Amino acid sequence: MARYRLTIEYDGGPFVGWQRQDNGPSVQAALEAALAKFTRETPETIAAGRTDAGVHALGQVVHFDLARDWEPAKLRDALNYHLRPDPVVVVDAAAVPEAFHARLSAVRRSYLFRILNRTAPPALEVGRVWHVDRRLDVEAMHAAAQLLVGHHDFTSFRATTCQARSPLKTLDRLDVRRVGDEVHVDAVARSFLHHQVRNMVGTLKLVGDGKWSPAEVGGALASRDRRAAGPTAPPDGLYLVAVDY
Amino acid sequence: MARYRLTIEYDGGPFVGWQRQDNGPSVQAALEAALAKFTRETPETIAAGRTDAGVHALGQVVHFDLARDWEPAKLRDALNYHLRPDPVVVVDAAAVPEAFHARLSAVRRSYLFRILNRTAPPALEVGRVWHVDRRLDVEAMHAAAQLLVGHHDFTSFRATTCQARSPLKTLDRLDVRRVGDEVHVDAVARSFLHHQVRNMVGTLKLVGDGKWSPAEVGGALASRDRRAAGPTAPPDGLYLVAVDY
Protein backbone atom coordinates (compact mmCIF):
# COMPACT_ATOMS: atom_id res chain seq x y z
CA MET A 1 0.00 0.00 0.00
CA ALA A 2 1.42 3.38 -1.00
CA ARG A 3 0.07 6.92 -0.79
CA TYR A 4 0.45 9.33 -3.71
CA ARG A 5 0.14 13.07 -3.96
CA LEU A 6 -0.85 14.76 -7.23
CA THR A 7 -0.72 18.41 -8.19
CA ILE A 8 -3.44 18.95 -10.76
CA GLU A 9 -4.58 21.74 -13.06
CA TYR A 10 -8.10 22.00 -14.45
CA ASP A 11 -10.58 24.17 -16.28
CA GLY A 12 -13.57 24.19 -13.95
CA GLY A 13 -15.98 25.23 -16.72
CA PRO A 14 -17.37 21.81 -17.73
CA PHE A 15 -17.56 20.42 -14.18
CA VAL A 16 -20.06 20.58 -11.30
CA GLY A 17 -17.00 21.16 -9.09
CA TRP A 18 -14.26 19.03 -7.56
CA GLN A 19 -16.60 16.76 -5.65
CA ARG A 20 -18.46 13.82 -7.14
CA GLN A 21 -22.18 14.67 -7.41
CA ASP A 22 -25.22 13.16 -9.04
CA ASN A 23 -26.01 16.18 -11.19
CA GLY A 24 -23.08 16.17 -13.61
CA PRO A 25 -19.39 15.50 -14.29
CA SER A 26 -16.95 16.26 -11.49
CA VAL A 27 -13.18 16.58 -11.48
CA GLN A 28 -13.02 13.86 -8.82
CA ALA A 29 -15.03 11.41 -10.95
CA ALA A 30 -12.86 12.15 -14.02
CA LEU A 31 -9.68 11.57 -12.02
CA GLU A 32 -10.96 8.39 -10.36
CA ALA A 33 -12.15 7.00 -13.72
CA ALA A 34 -8.72 7.63 -15.25
CA LEU A 35 -7.01 5.99 -12.24
CA ALA A 36 -9.25 2.92 -12.46
CA LYS A 37 -8.54 2.47 -16.17
CA PHE A 38 -4.90 1.52 -15.79
CA THR A 39 -4.45 0.63 -12.09
CA ARG A 40 -7.64 -1.47 -11.89
CA GLU A 41 -7.96 -0.04 -8.38
CA THR A 42 -10.72 2.30 -7.24
CA PRO A 43 -9.29 4.45 -4.45
CA GLU A 44 -11.14 7.46 -3.13
CA THR A 45 -9.29 10.66 -4.02
CA ILE A 46 -9.17 13.49 -1.46
CA ALA A 47 -8.48 17.08 -2.48
CA ALA A 48 -7.09 20.06 -0.56
CA GLY A 49 -9.94 22.29 -1.69
CA ARG A 50 -13.44 21.33 -2.79
CA THR A 51 -13.69 23.86 -5.61
CA ASP A 52 -17.20 24.78 -6.81
CA ALA A 53 -18.66 24.47 -10.30
CA GLY A 54 -16.78 26.70 -12.73
CA VAL A 55 -13.83 27.34 -10.39
CA HIS A 56 -10.41 26.55 -11.89
CA ALA A 57 -7.25 25.08 -10.40
CA LEU A 58 -3.62 25.65 -11.27
CA GLY A 59 -2.30 23.74 -8.26
CA GLN A 60 -5.00 21.63 -6.60
CA VAL A 61 -3.47 18.88 -4.46
CA VAL A 62 -4.98 15.39 -4.21
CA HIS A 63 -4.00 12.22 -2.36
CA PHE A 64 -5.05 8.55 -2.62
CA ASP A 65 -3.74 5.08 -1.81
CA LEU A 66 -2.87 2.25 -4.20
CA ALA A 67 -2.08 -1.36 -3.35
CA ARG A 68 0.51 -1.54 -6.09
CA ASP A 69 3.67 0.60 -6.20
CA TRP A 70 4.00 3.00 -9.10
CA GLU A 71 6.85 5.14 -10.31
CA PRO A 72 5.41 8.64 -9.81
CA ALA A 73 6.37 9.87 -13.31
CA LYS A 74 4.62 6.84 -14.86
CA LEU A 75 1.53 7.49 -12.75
CA ARG A 76 1.48 11.11 -13.94
CA ASP A 77 1.89 10.21 -17.62
CA ALA A 78 -0.64 7.36 -17.53
CA LEU A 79 -3.19 9.60 -15.80
CA ASN A 80 -2.67 12.35 -18.35
CA TYR A 81 -3.17 9.84 -21.14
CA HIS A 82 -6.41 8.49 -19.68
CA LEU A 83 -7.78 11.90 -18.58
CA ARG A 84 -8.02 13.08 -22.18
CA PRO A 85 -10.07 14.82 -23.47
CA ASP A 86 -11.20 16.15 -20.09
CA PRO A 87 -9.47 19.48 -19.27
CA VAL A 88 -7.73 18.00 -16.22
CA VAL A 89 -3.97 17.52 -16.15
CA VAL A 90 -1.56 16.05 -13.60
CA VAL A 91 1.31 18.51 -13.34
CA ASP A 92 3.22 16.55 -10.70
CA ALA A 93 3.02 13.20 -8.89
CA ALA A 94 4.95 12.03 -5.83
CA ALA A 95 4.95 9.15 -3.35
CA VAL A 96 4.25 10.50 0.15
CA PRO A 97 4.22 9.08 3.70
CA GLU A 98 0.93 7.64 4.92
CA ALA A 99 0.61 10.54 7.36
CA PHE A 100 0.14 12.96 4.46
CA HIS A 101 -3.44 14.17 3.97
CA ALA A 102 -4.20 16.58 1.12
CA ARG A 103 -6.90 18.42 3.09
CA LEU A 104 -5.88 18.06 6.73
CA SER A 105 -2.11 18.53 6.32
CA ALA A 106 -2.44 21.75 4.32
CA VAL A 107 -1.11 24.83 6.09
CA ARG A 108 -1.79 27.44 3.41
CA ARG A 109 -4.10 27.81 0.42
CA SER A 110 -3.60 30.51 -2.22
CA TYR A 111 -6.38 31.68 -4.52
CA LEU A 112 -6.37 34.18 -7.37
CA PHE A 113 -9.49 35.99 -8.58
CA ARG A 114 -9.22 37.61 -12.03
CA ILE A 115 -11.51 40.50 -13.03
CA LEU A 116 -11.32 41.70 -16.66
CA ASN A 117 -11.91 45.41 -16.13
CA ARG A 118 -12.56 47.00 -19.52
CA THR A 119 -15.53 47.94 -21.66
CA ALA A 120 -15.16 45.08 -24.14
CA PRO A 121 -16.02 41.55 -23.03
CA PRO A 122 -13.32 38.85 -23.22
CA ALA A 123 -12.64 37.05 -26.51
CA LEU A 124 -9.78 34.81 -25.37
CA GLU A 125 -10.60 34.55 -21.66
CA VAL A 126 -14.29 33.66 -21.81
CA GLY A 127 -15.16 31.66 -18.66
CA ARG A 128 -11.76 32.48 -17.16
CA VAL A 129 -12.43 35.99 -15.80
CA TRP A 130 -15.26 38.05 -14.30
CA HIS A 131 -15.99 40.81 -16.79
CA VAL A 132 -16.64 44.17 -15.06
CA ASP A 133 -17.01 46.94 -17.61
CA ARG A 134 -16.87 50.03 -15.38
CA ARG A 135 -13.41 51.04 -14.15
CA LEU A 136 -12.81 49.88 -10.59
CA ASP A 137 -11.04 51.93 -7.91
CA VAL A 138 -8.32 49.41 -7.08
CA GLU A 139 -6.74 51.49 -4.31
CA ALA A 140 -10.06 51.68 -2.43
CA MET A 141 -10.61 47.93 -2.93
CA HIS A 142 -7.16 47.17 -1.54
CA ALA A 143 -7.71 49.44 1.46
CA ALA A 144 -11.05 47.72 2.18
CA ALA A 145 -9.43 44.30 1.79
CA GLN A 146 -6.97 45.07 4.58
CA LEU A 147 -9.92 45.30 7.02
CA LEU A 148 -10.60 41.60 6.35
CA VAL A 149 -7.03 40.42 6.93
CA GLY A 150 -6.46 38.77 10.31
CA HIS A 151 -8.39 36.46 12.66
CA HIS A 152 -12.14 37.13 12.38
CA ASP A 153 -15.60 35.64 12.48
CA PHE A 154 -16.31 35.48 8.72
CA THR A 155 -20.03 34.64 9.01
CA SER A 156 -20.86 37.59 6.72
CA PHE A 157 -18.74 36.09 3.94
CA ARG A 158 -19.77 32.46 4.35
CA ALA A 159 -22.31 30.60 2.22
CA THR A 160 -25.45 29.93 4.25
CA THR A 161 -24.97 26.27 3.30
CA CYS A 162 -21.36 26.18 4.62
CA GLN A 163 -20.78 23.11 6.78
CA ALA A 164 -17.64 24.26 8.63
CA ARG A 165 -18.02 23.94 12.41
CA SER A 166 -16.64 27.41 13.11
CA PRO A 167 -16.84 30.69 11.16
CA LEU A 168 -13.53 31.78 12.72
CA LYS A 169 -10.68 31.93 10.21
CA THR A 170 -7.37 33.72 9.86
CA LEU A 171 -6.95 35.51 6.54
CA ASP A 172 -3.22 35.98 5.93
CA ARG A 173 -3.33 38.10 2.80
CA LEU A 174 -5.91 39.83 0.58
CA ASP A 175 -4.22 42.00 -2.05
CA VAL A 176 -5.94 43.86 -4.87
CA ARG A 177 -3.84 45.09 -7.77
CA ARG A 178 -4.18 46.14 -11.41
CA VAL A 179 -2.41 43.93 -13.96
CA GLY A 180 -2.85 45.36 -17.46
CA ASP A 181 -6.59 45.51 -18.10
CA GLU A 182 -7.28 43.03 -15.30
CA VAL A 183 -7.74 43.46 -11.56
CA HIS A 184 -6.26 40.59 -9.54
CA VAL A 185 -7.27 39.66 -6.00
CA ASP A 186 -4.80 37.37 -4.20
CA ALA A 187 -6.20 35.59 -1.14
CA VAL A 188 -4.07 33.46 1.19
CA ALA A 189 -5.15 31.60 4.36
CA ARG A 190 -4.72 28.27 6.07
CA SER A 191 -8.30 27.52 5.03
CA PHE A 192 -11.40 29.29 3.75
CA LEU A 193 -15.13 28.98 4.40
CA HIS A 194 -17.47 27.95 1.57
CA HIS A 195 -17.74 30.83 -0.97
CA GLN A 196 -15.54 33.02 1.24
CA VAL A 197 -13.25 34.26 -1.55
CA ARG A 198 -16.12 34.89 -3.96
CA ASN A 199 -18.15 36.69 -1.27
CA MET A 200 -15.17 38.87 -0.35
CA VAL A 201 -14.55 39.71 -4.03
CA GLY A 202 -18.24 40.48 -4.62
CA THR A 203 -18.15 42.85 -1.64
CA LEU A 204 -14.86 44.51 -2.65
CA LYS A 205 -16.37 45.13 -6.09
CA LEU A 206 -18.99 47.37 -4.44
CA VAL A 207 -16.09 49.42 -3.06
CA GLY A 208 -14.40 49.49 -6.49
CA ASP A 209 -17.67 50.78 -7.98
CA GLY A 210 -17.83 53.60 -5.41
CA LYS A 211 -21.08 52.23 -3.97
CA TRP A 212 -19.50 51.33 -0.63
CA SER A 213 -16.74 52.96 1.38
CA PRO A 214 -13.91 50.72 2.63
CA ALA A 215 -15.26 51.26 6.17
CA GLU A 216 -18.57 49.67 5.19
CA VAL A 217 -16.71 46.43 4.46
CA GLY A 218 -15.43 46.50 8.04
CA GLY A 219 -18.98 47.07 9.19
CA ALA A 220 -20.26 44.11 7.15
CA LEU A 221 -17.60 41.89 8.74
CA ALA A 222 -18.53 43.08 12.25
CA SER A 223 -22.25 42.43 11.74
CA ARG A 224 -21.70 38.63 11.35
CA ASP A 225 -24.65 38.35 8.98
CA ARG A 226 -24.39 37.09 5.40
CA ARG A 227 -27.02 39.64 4.33
CA ALA A 228 -24.73 42.47 5.48
CA ALA A 229 -22.05 41.74 2.85
CA GLY A 230 -22.13 41.97 -0.95
CA PRO A 231 -23.17 39.38 -3.55
CA THR A 232 -21.16 36.29 -4.48
CA ALA A 233 -18.78 36.91 -7.39
CA PRO A 234 -19.14 34.42 -10.28
CA PRO A 235 -16.89 31.34 -10.24
CA ASP A 236 -15.29 32.04 -13.65
CA GLY A 237 -12.54 34.28 -12.28
CA LEU A 238 -11.46 32.05 -9.38
CA TYR A 239 -8.32 29.87 -9.41
CA LEU A 240 -6.92 27.62 -6.68
CA VAL A 241 -3.29 28.51 -7.33
CA ALA A 242 -1.32 26.54 -4.74
CA VAL A 243 -1.53 24.54 -1.51
CA ASP A 244 1.37 24.48 0.92
CA TYR A 245 2.14 21.77 3.49
CA MET B 1 -17.98 59.06 -45.63
CA ALA B 2 -15.90 58.36 -42.54
CA ARG B 3 -13.02 55.99 -41.83
CA TYR B 4 -12.90 53.96 -38.61
CA ARG B 5 -10.12 52.11 -36.86
CA LEU B 6 -10.81 49.13 -34.63
CA THR B 7 -8.52 47.33 -32.21
CA ILE B 8 -9.76 43.76 -32.01
CA GLU B 9 -9.01 40.67 -29.94
CA TYR B 10 -9.76 37.15 -31.11
CA ASP B 11 -9.26 33.48 -30.45
CA GLY B 12 -7.89 32.20 -33.75
CA GLY B 13 -8.85 28.61 -32.98
CA PRO B 14 -12.17 28.36 -34.81
CA PHE B 15 -11.12 30.45 -37.82
CA VAL B 16 -9.28 29.76 -41.11
CA GLY B 17 -7.40 32.99 -40.34
CA TRP B 18 -8.06 36.71 -40.64
CA GLN B 19 -8.73 36.65 -44.36
CA ARG B 20 -12.02 35.65 -45.94
CA GLN B 21 -11.62 32.26 -47.65
CA ASP B 22 -13.90 29.66 -49.21
CA ASN B 23 -12.86 26.83 -46.90
CA GLY B 24 -14.26 28.03 -43.58
CA PRO B 25 -15.12 30.89 -41.21
CA SER B 26 -12.72 33.82 -41.11
CA VAL B 27 -12.36 36.68 -38.64
CA GLN B 28 -12.85 39.13 -41.51
CA ALA B 29 -16.16 37.53 -42.55
CA ALA B 30 -17.40 37.49 -38.92
CA LEU B 31 -16.54 41.17 -38.51
CA GLU B 32 -18.07 42.19 -41.85
CA ALA B 33 -21.26 40.23 -41.11
CA ALA B 34 -21.60 41.96 -37.72
CA LEU B 35 -21.02 45.37 -39.36
CA ALA B 36 -23.64 44.72 -42.04
CA LYS B 37 -26.24 43.71 -39.45
CA PHE B 38 -26.65 47.15 -37.91
CA THR B 39 -25.06 49.58 -40.39
CA ARG B 40 -26.68 48.01 -43.46
CA GLU B 41 -23.41 48.83 -45.21
CA THR B 42 -20.95 46.25 -46.54
CA PRO B 43 -17.51 47.85 -46.42
CA GLU B 44 -14.37 45.82 -46.98
CA THR B 45 -12.33 45.61 -43.78
CA ILE B 46 -8.53 45.79 -43.98
CA ALA B 47 -6.29 44.43 -41.21
CA ALA B 48 -2.74 45.25 -40.18
CA GLY B 49 -1.75 41.57 -40.16
CA ARG B 50 -3.29 38.67 -42.08
CA THR B 51 -3.02 36.16 -39.25
CA ASP B 52 -3.13 32.47 -40.23
CA ALA B 53 -5.55 29.79 -39.07
CA GLY B 54 -5.25 29.26 -35.30
CA VAL B 55 -3.23 32.44 -34.68
CA HIS B 56 -4.68 34.72 -32.00
CA ALA B 57 -4.82 38.50 -31.69
CA LEU B 58 -4.80 40.73 -28.63
CA GLY B 59 -4.41 43.94 -30.63
CA GLN B 60 -5.14 43.41 -34.32
CA VAL B 61 -5.95 46.74 -36.05
CA VAL B 62 -8.59 47.04 -38.77
CA HIS B 63 -9.93 49.93 -40.84
CA PHE B 64 -13.00 50.44 -43.04
CA ASP B 65 -15.21 53.22 -44.38
CA LEU B 66 -18.88 53.88 -43.67
CA ALA B 67 -21.19 56.35 -45.43
CA ARG B 68 -22.92 57.18 -42.18
CA ASP B 69 -21.22 58.78 -39.17
CA TRP B 70 -21.09 56.72 -35.99
CA GLU B 71 -20.07 57.56 -32.49
CA PRO B 72 -17.04 55.25 -32.02
CA ALA B 73 -18.21 53.89 -28.65
CA LYS B 74 -21.60 52.99 -30.17
CA LEU B 75 -19.89 51.30 -33.10
CA ARG B 76 -17.76 49.25 -30.66
CA ASP B 77 -20.71 48.20 -28.51
CA ALA B 78 -22.99 47.36 -31.46
CA LEU B 79 -20.23 45.29 -33.08
CA ASN B 80 -19.59 43.42 -29.83
CA TYR B 81 -23.32 42.69 -29.54
CA HIS B 82 -23.58 41.35 -33.10
CA LEU B 83 -20.25 39.45 -33.04
CA ARG B 84 -21.54 37.10 -30.32
CA PRO B 85 -21.02 34.18 -29.96
CA ASP B 86 -17.91 34.35 -32.18
CA PRO B 87 -14.73 34.79 -30.08
CA VAL B 88 -13.99 38.19 -31.63
CA VAL B 89 -14.22 41.39 -29.60
CA VAL B 90 -13.74 45.06 -30.43
CA VAL B 91 -11.56 46.47 -27.67
CA ASP B 92 -11.44 49.99 -29.09
CA ALA B 93 -12.96 52.00 -31.94
CA ALA B 94 -11.95 55.44 -33.24
CA ALA B 95 -12.70 57.75 -36.15
CA VAL B 96 -9.50 58.32 -38.17
CA PRO B 97 -8.46 60.52 -41.10
CA GLU B 98 -8.92 59.07 -44.58
CA ALA B 99 -5.15 58.81 -44.96
CA PHE B 100 -5.02 56.12 -42.25
CA HIS B 101 -4.50 52.58 -43.58
CA ALA B 102 -4.35 49.69 -41.10
CA ARG B 103 -1.78 47.75 -43.14
CA LEU B 104 0.21 50.42 -45.00
CA SER B 105 0.43 53.01 -42.21
CA ALA B 106 1.73 50.54 -39.61
CA VAL B 107 5.29 51.22 -38.48
CA ARG B 108 5.68 48.39 -35.97
CA ARG B 109 4.06 45.00 -35.33
CA SER B 110 4.59 43.09 -32.06
CA TYR B 111 4.03 39.36 -31.78
CA LEU B 112 4.26 37.02 -28.79
CA PHE B 113 4.84 33.29 -29.09
CA ARG B 114 4.01 31.22 -25.97
CA ILE B 115 5.60 27.81 -25.39
CA LEU B 116 4.33 25.78 -22.41
CA ASN B 117 7.55 24.09 -21.35
CA ARG B 118 6.71 21.36 -18.85
CA THR B 119 6.03 17.63 -18.89
CA ALA B 120 2.26 17.90 -18.42
CA PRO B 121 0.14 19.12 -21.33
CA PRO B 122 -2.02 22.23 -20.83
CA ALA B 123 -5.44 21.94 -19.16
CA LEU B 124 -6.42 25.61 -19.20
CA GLU B 125 -4.37 26.83 -22.16
CA VAL B 126 -5.27 24.19 -24.76
CA GLY B 127 -4.95 25.77 -28.22
CA ARG B 128 -3.27 28.84 -26.71
CA VAL B 129 0.31 27.57 -26.32
CA TRP B 130 2.78 25.23 -28.04
CA HIS B 131 3.41 22.39 -25.60
CA VAL B 132 7.09 21.36 -25.51
CA ASP B 133 7.70 18.76 -22.82
CA ARG B 134 11.52 18.70 -22.70
CA ARG B 135 13.15 21.62 -20.89
CA LEU B 136 14.46 24.23 -23.30
CA ASP B 137 17.78 26.08 -22.95
CA VAL B 138 16.38 29.60 -23.00
CA GLU B 139 19.75 31.33 -22.81
CA ALA B 140 20.96 29.52 -25.95
CA MET B 141 17.68 30.34 -27.73
CA HIS B 142 18.03 34.02 -26.85
CA ALA B 143 21.66 34.09 -28.02
CA ALA B 144 20.65 32.48 -31.34
CA ALA B 145 17.75 34.93 -31.72
CA GLN B 146 20.15 37.88 -31.60
CA LEU B 147 21.74 36.61 -34.84
CA LEU B 148 18.40 37.21 -36.58
CA VAL B 149 17.92 40.77 -35.31
CA GLY B 150 18.70 43.47 -37.88
CA HIS B 151 18.27 43.95 -41.65
CA HIS B 152 18.52 40.62 -43.45
CA ASP B 153 17.30 38.52 -46.34
CA PHE B 154 14.86 36.25 -44.47
CA THR B 155 14.28 33.79 -47.34
CA SER B 156 15.17 30.87 -45.00
CA PHE B 157 12.33 31.84 -42.64
CA ARG B 158 9.69 32.65 -45.24
CA ALA B 159 6.84 30.37 -46.33
CA THR B 160 7.47 29.11 -49.85
CA THR B 161 4.03 30.50 -50.70
CA CYS B 162 4.88 33.98 -49.35
CA GLN B 163 3.78 36.67 -51.80
CA ALA B 164 5.89 39.58 -50.51
CA ARG B 165 7.96 41.19 -53.28
CA SER B 166 11.17 41.23 -51.25
CA PRO B 167 12.57 38.88 -48.61
CA LEU B 168 14.48 41.79 -47.03
CA LYS B 169 13.13 42.80 -43.63
CA THR B 170 14.43 44.55 -40.53
CA LEU B 171 13.81 42.59 -37.32
CA ASP B 172 13.93 45.07 -34.42
CA ARG B 173 13.68 42.67 -31.51
CA LEU B 174 13.58 38.91 -30.89
CA ASP B 175 13.74 38.15 -27.17
CA VAL B 176 13.42 34.71 -25.56
CA ARG B 177 12.67 34.51 -21.83
CA ARG B 178 11.24 32.11 -19.26
CA VAL B 179 7.98 33.19 -17.58
CA GLY B 180 6.92 30.64 -14.96
CA ASP B 181 6.55 27.32 -16.80
CA GLU B 182 6.31 29.07 -20.16
CA VAL B 183 8.95 30.30 -22.61
CA HIS B 184 7.96 33.54 -24.33
CA VAL B 185 9.38 34.80 -27.62
CA ASP B 186 8.74 38.50 -28.33
CA ALA B 187 9.18 39.54 -31.96
CA VAL B 188 8.99 43.15 -33.13
CA ALA B 189 9.44 44.52 -36.67
CA ARG B 190 7.89 47.00 -39.08
CA SER B 191 6.54 43.96 -40.96
CA PHE B 192 7.07 40.23 -41.21
CA LEU B 193 7.10 37.72 -44.07
CA HIS B 194 4.51 34.93 -44.21
CA HIS B 195 5.20 32.38 -41.41
CA GLN B 196 8.35 34.29 -40.42
CA VAL B 197 7.68 34.32 -36.67
CA ARG B 198 6.61 30.65 -36.59
CA ASN B 199 9.61 29.61 -38.70
CA MET B 200 11.99 31.53 -36.44
CA VAL B 201 10.42 29.96 -33.32
CA GLY B 202 10.56 26.46 -34.86
CA THR B 203 14.24 27.00 -35.57
CA LEU B 204 15.05 28.46 -32.13
CA LYS B 205 13.38 25.41 -30.58
CA LEU B 206 16.08 23.23 -32.19
CA VAL B 207 18.62 25.36 -30.31
CA GLY B 208 16.64 25.06 -27.07
CA ASP B 209 16.63 21.27 -27.53
CA GLY B 210 20.42 21.25 -27.93
CA LYS B 211 20.12 19.89 -31.49
CA TRP B 212 21.51 23.07 -33.05
CA SER B 213 24.13 25.54 -31.86
CA PRO B 214 23.22 29.24 -31.97
CA ALA B 215 25.77 29.64 -34.78
CA GLU B 216 23.82 27.20 -36.95
CA VAL B 217 20.87 29.61 -36.87
CA GLY B 218 23.16 32.28 -38.31
CA GLY B 219 24.20 29.77 -40.98
CA ALA B 220 20.58 28.98 -41.83
CA LEU B 221 19.89 32.72 -42.27
CA ALA B 222 22.94 33.15 -44.52
CA SER B 223 22.00 30.24 -46.77
CA ARG B 224 18.78 31.97 -47.97
CA ASP B 225 17.04 28.64 -48.42
CA ARG B 226 13.85 27.68 -46.58
CA ARG B 227 15.13 24.08 -46.30
CA ALA B 228 18.13 25.31 -44.28
CA ALA B 229 16.02 26.49 -41.34
CA GLY B 230 13.86 24.56 -38.86
CA PRO B 231 10.21 23.53 -39.06
CA THR B 232 7.24 25.89 -38.70
CA ALA B 233 6.02 26.16 -35.10
CA PRO B 234 2.27 25.49 -34.67
CA PRO B 235 -0.07 28.50 -34.78
CA ASP B 236 -1.56 27.88 -31.29
CA GLY B 237 1.14 29.81 -29.43
CA LEU B 238 1.18 32.90 -31.64
CA TYR B 239 -0.46 36.22 -30.73
CA LEU B 240 -0.52 39.51 -32.65
CA VAL B 241 -0.12 41.72 -29.58
CA ALA B 242 -0.02 45.27 -30.94
CA VAL B 243 0.39 47.40 -34.04
CA ASP B 244 1.91 50.87 -33.85
CA TYR B 245 1.37 53.77 -36.27
Side-chain angles (χ1 to χ4, degrees), chain A residues 43-61:
Chain A
E44 189 193 5
T45 58
I46 293 173
R50 283 164 289 189
T51 55
D52 283 314
V55 174
H56 316 293
L58 299 171
Q60 169 79 286
V61 175

Side-chain angles (χ1 to χ4, degrees), chain B residues 9 28 66 69 83 85 91 105 108 120 136 140 164 168 198 244:
Chain B
E9 178 181 297
Q28 184 181 29
L66 292 175
D69 279 344
L83 278 163
V91 177
S105 309
R108 196 162 46 242
L136 295 167
L168 292 167
R198 289 164 60 191
D244 295 318

Side-chain angles (χ1 to χ4, degrees), chain B residues 116-220:
Chain B
L116 180 64
N117 190 28
R118 66 175 191 194
T119 308
L124 279 155
E125 302 297 294
V126 177
R128 311 290 174 83
V129 292
W130 181 18
H131 177 227
V132 173
D133 59 359
R134 286 184 52 199
R135 190 164 177 91
L136 295 167
D137 181 343
V138 168
E139 287 66 37
M141 290 171 75
H142 183 73
Q146 302 326 299
L147 303 176
L148 300 176
V149 172
H151 186 71
H152 301 291
D153 179 329
F154 281 99
T155 296
S156 303
F157 298 94
R158 168 191 197 176
T160 49
T161 55
C162 178
Q163 287 167 22
R165 275 184 223 128
S166 164
L168 292 167
K169 292 284 175 192
T170 301
L171 181 61
D172 296 327
R173 198 154 74 78
L174 190 64
D175 287 338
V176 186
R177 61 201 166 99
R178 191 171 291 281
V179 179
D181 56 8
E182 296 189 6
V183 172
H184 287 186
V185 182
D186 291 298
V188 179
R190 182 181 189 96
S191 62
F192 290 91
L193 297 164
H194 192 206
H195 282 181
Q196 186 183 342
V197 177
R198 289 164 60 191
N199 290 340
M200 293 192 301
V201 170
T203 305
L204 292 176
K205 192 248 187 188
L206 296 173
V207 175
D209 276 340
K211 288 177 190 143
W212 279 32
S213 69
E216 285 177 275
V217 174

Side-chain angles (χ1 to χ4, degrees), chain A residues 9-12 56-58 76-77 80 87-92 114 116 118-126 128 181 239, chain B residues 9-12 56-58 76-77 80 87-92 114 116 118-126 128 181 239:
Chain A
E9 178 182 297
Y10 50 83
D11 175 359
H56 316 293
L58 299 171
R76 176 198 66 204
D77 295 344
N80 284 337
V88 181
V89 154
V90 179
V91 177
D92 188 63
R114 292 173 59 193
L116 180 64
R118 67 176 190 191
T119 308
L124 279 155
E125 301 298 290
V126 177
R128 311 290 174 83
D181 56 7
Y239 297 74
Chain B
E9 178 181 297
Y10 50 83
D11 174 359
H56 315 294
L58 300 171
R76 176 198 65 205
D77 295 343
N80 284 336
V88 182
V89 154
V90 179
V91 177
D92 188 63
R114 292 173 58 194
L116 180 64
R118 66 175 191 194
T119 308
L124 279 155
E125 302 297 294
V126 177
R128 311 290 174 83
D181 56 8
Y239 297 75

